[in-house]
Amino acid sequence: TMTVGDSVEFKCSAYDIADHLPNWPKHDLTIEIIFESDLTRDLTSTEHGWWIDSFVRSKARPSFKTGRIDIHETAEVTAFKQRLEKSDEGWYRCRACIYEDTELQACDYNNAKFYLQVNNPRGAPDDPVPDKTKPSNVNRTALETSRSSCQVFGDPHIISFDGMSYNFPGTSCDYVMALDRTAGSFFVYGRMRPCGKIAQGLCLESITLYAKGDAIELQRGWILNHKGQKVETAKLKEPTKVGEFEVSFEGTTLVVRVLLKESVLYDLRMQDWLLLHWDGLTAVTIEVPQNRSDTRSVRRQRLRRVQRLRRLGHDQQRPDGSVGEYESGLGRDVRGR
């Protein structure tokens, strides 16, 4: 919460790991801050008074085991404004994207979403605050709650909800990718199979989402399987409804959305959405609604996860961030090891 005339600074970062061979396309990671309340507003334009600075840092190291090169990329962006205006109030989001030889491959829209409230100076009239105890006769505006994400890609690399990055030497079976441990409102499973006859490691073959009493499977080639019916999503011209799910094809990414819960706050409809971003081959990003777990509980959960990974011999890369009640389940397969 800020006041008109205050200065403010935002900072977002993204992290990516990729396997490369010398003759593979160039791999680039970008990140930006967008104003979701008005997508036509370009924060990089001097018209709105924002100062934007960004940089990308990459590190390459050979992987002698696979004969490839591991590329570690970090992208950061900072947005600063000297004097806030009332028009700056609204929802902001960080968006990270991956390009190969300037061609867009996928974007992750969930890294951070936050609401900037800008109050008038003391003594100036503020907008009236609605009384949530009285029924409203106006149409309520729908707002999506903030989300956290985990990612699975490559053979395979994993970035969990708490920002920890590691490699996972599993076996060919179905794994729990993410689940709602509290209410059981959703489950996401991933089918792991060998990446090829020669290549080592496992890759995602398909993703299955269970939510609201319905299920949908995302297969390679951007194919959807819903109750035995196949849908070629690459041919979709606009978002469509498939059972309980909303399906769209954006660039080279299949996006599946499902509304888990909706609640009313003042004259707003707060919506909890779950999203899957599937590249049609081996990579998925899972977005789930954020919760507000106790900080001590978060630390205990993260410590237990690190200890478990060390016992299993996983290649832990970077513990960071916080974890809530939604959990990435890689480390246990469906058969209950």
Side-chain angles (χ1 to χ4, degrees):
T1 301
M2 309 294 289
T3 303
V4 171
D6 287 348
S7 60
V8 67
E9 179 178 305
F10 304 143
K11 186 175 181 180
C12 299
S13 62
Y15 184 74
D16 182 50
I17 307 174
D19 284 343
H20 277 261
L21 289 174
N23 60 339
W24 284 12
K26 188 174 181 293
H27 184 275
D28 291 307
L29 174 68
T30 65
I31 191 168
E32 61 180 337
I33 299 177
I34 57 178
F35 185 52
E36 282 211 329
S37 297
D38 182 5
L39 295 177
T40 62
R41 181 183 296 188
D42 182 8
L43 296 185
T44 62
S45 171
T46 56
E47 173 187 357
H48 305 292
W50 288 89
W51 176 81
I52 306 293
D53 184 34
S54 61
F55 81 91
V56 178
R57 179 175 62 249
S58 63
K59 180 180 179 181
R61 68 177 186 182
S63 176
F64 298 103
K65 182 178 179 181
T66 63
R68 300 179 182 178
I69 300 174
D70 288 340
I71 306 294
H72 298 249
E73 287 188 294
T74 301
E76 291 188 2
V77 60
T78 301
F80 174 79
K81 188 166 187 178
Q82 183 67 35
R83 289 182 55 83
L84 283 173
E85 304 171 4
K86 188 65 177 178
S87 60
D88 294 317
E89 181 169 328
W91 287 98
Y92 293 79
R93 184 187 290 276
C94 299
R95 179 173 63 186
C97 296
I98 295 176
Y99 291 82
E100 286 188 359
D101 285 346
T102 71
E103 182 179 347
L104 177 63
Q105 298 298 309
C107 287
D108 181 15
Y109 293 85
N110 69 307
N111 283 338
K113 180 180 179 181
F114 51 93
Y115 189 86
L116 175 63
Q117 181 175 333
V118 183
N119 296 329
N120 288 321
R122 182 174 297 179
D126 277 318
D127 295 333
V129 177
D131 185 357
K132 66 178 181 180
T133 64
K134 298 180 180 180
S136 174
N137 294 323
V138 300
N139 293 327
R140 292 186 173 95
T141 302
L143 287 178
E144 297 183 15
T145 57
S146 300
R147 292 188 291 270
S148 295
S149 72
C150 69
Q151 294 177 295
V152 181
F153 55 95
D155 57 353
H157 304 297
I158 296 128
I159 301 177
S160 54
F161 288 120
D162 57 2
M164 186 168 62
S165 176
Y166 56 96
N167 299 326
F168 180 70
T171 58
S172 294
C173 55
D174 292 356
Y175 288 88
V176 180
M177 296 285 167
L179 58 87
D180 181 353
R181 299 187 307 170
T182 304
S185 61
F186 69 86
F187 297 85
V188 181
Y189 294 91
R191 176 160 294 171
M192 290 289 188
R193 294 294 182 266
C195 297
K197 295 181 179 180
I198 299 177
Q200 298 181 2
L202 299 173
C203 293
L204 276 174
E205 184 179 77
S206 65
I207 296 290
T208 302
L209 168 61
Y210 296 88
K212 302 188 72 172
D214 202 354
I216 196 168
E217 182 185 23
L218 287 63
Q219 301 176 347
R220 289 181 177 174
W222 305 290
I223 301 296
L224 278 184
N225 179 14
H226 182 255
K227 297 182 178 180
Q229 299 295 320
K230 300 293 183 71
V231 180
E232 297 183 28
T233 61
K235 297 181 179 180
L236 295 178
K237 301 300 182 182
E238 58 185 18
T240 185
K241 189 81 170 178
V242 178
E244 294 289 340
F245 309 98
E246 295 182 10
V247 179
S248 60
F249 191 75
E250 303 174 4
T252 59
T253 303
L254 168 60
V255 181
V256 176
R257 296 164 50 96
V258 59
L259 180 60
L260 299 175
K261 185 176 66 174
E262 187 174 62
S263 57
V264 175
L265 176 65
Y266 299 112
D267 285 328
L268 300 177
R269 291 185 291 115
M270 307 301 295
Q271 297 181 335
D272 290 350
W273 287 88
L274 182 149
L275 279 73
L276 298 181
H277 301 264
W278 172 240
D279 74 341
L281 189 60
T282 62
V284 65
T285 298
I286 305 171
E287 299 184 27
V288 300
Q290 290 181 356
N291 64 2
R292 294 167 176 79
S293 299
D294 175 72
T295 303
R296 293 180 181 177
S297 175
V298 166
R299 291 174 180 172
R300 287 195 299 268
Q301 292 176 30
R302 188 168 63 222
L303 178 60
R304 287 196 298 268
R305 178 175 296 175
V306 171
Q307 292 172 341
R308 184 181 69 192
L309 289 171
R310 286 174 177 170
R311 289 196 304 269
L312 295 174
H314 295 335
D315 180 16
Q316 179 193 337
Q317 302 270 356
R318 181 177 62 99
D320 183 32
S322 61
V323 62
E325 294 179 2
Y326 301 119
E327 180 172 290
S328 175
L330 280 168
R332 297 187 305 273
D333 63 33
V334 176
R335 297 175 298 187
R337 279 195 308 188

